[in-house]
Amino acid sequence: LYVPDELGNMVHLEKLRMDQNQIRSLPETIGSCVAMMVLSLTCNQLSNIPDSFQECVNLTALHISSNRFRQLPRCVDNLTQLRQLWATNNELIGLPTSLARLPNLVE
């Protein structure tokens, strides 16, 4: 499934759930969704998230379970408000030590 670049025009979007859609990639413009607090992308075909996603500093929940991630996206390191990170059922080969620097992460 193709996610259009126009997603970035939704600057007031707070919650987005795109589970079970066979999505393979997200547009760089997702970083413009700075009000987003919840993003759920479970059961897709994702292996990465654009670096621009680090601009979504209000994000408190990121659900990326059941995708094709081999490592957590680098942009997660900058999401200091993140409380939930669900990444089960991927192809993860390890967890970065940088997760310890996410002060609000509880789940």
Side-chain angles (χ1 to χ4, degrees):
L1 179 69
Y2 169 74
V3 178
D5 288 340
E6 287 76 17
L7 175 66
N9 295 336
M10 304 174 80
V11 295
H12 300 291
L13 182 68
E14 294 182 1
K15 296 179 183 177
L16 180 60
R17 291 181 170 85
M18 295 189 292
D19 303 324
Q20 300 181 355
N21 284 297
Q22 303 299 313
I23 296 170
R24 294 184 182 273
S25 65
L26 296 171
E28 277 291 328
T29 58
I30 195 166
S32 298
C33 299
V34 293
M36 191 175 330
M37 294 186 293
V38 176
L39 178 60
S40 186
L41 296 163
T42 60
C43 299
N44 282 294
Q45 302 296 318
L46 293 167
S47 60
N48 203 357
I49 292 176
D51 288 339
S52 65
F53 190 64
Q54 68 186 349
E55 301 302 321
C56 298
V57 294
N58 293 307
L59 199 76
T60 59
L62 177 60
H63 303 165
I64 55 171
S65 294
S66 299
N67 277 283
R68 295 184 175 172
F69 289 97
R70 292 187 51 78
Q71 58 189 6
L72 289 178
R74 289 179 300 169
C75 57
V76 170
D77 294 351
N78 296 320
L79 303 176
T80 58
Q81 297 304 311
L82 200 62
R83 295 182 53 78
Q84 289 181 342
L85 175 59
W86 296 353
T88 60
N89 198 25
N90 276 288
E91 301 168 11
L92 296 174
I93 55 175
L95 294 175
T97 57
S98 59
L99 281 181
R101 292 191 300 267
L102 297 177
N104 297 305
L105 193 62
V106 295
E107 186 176 352

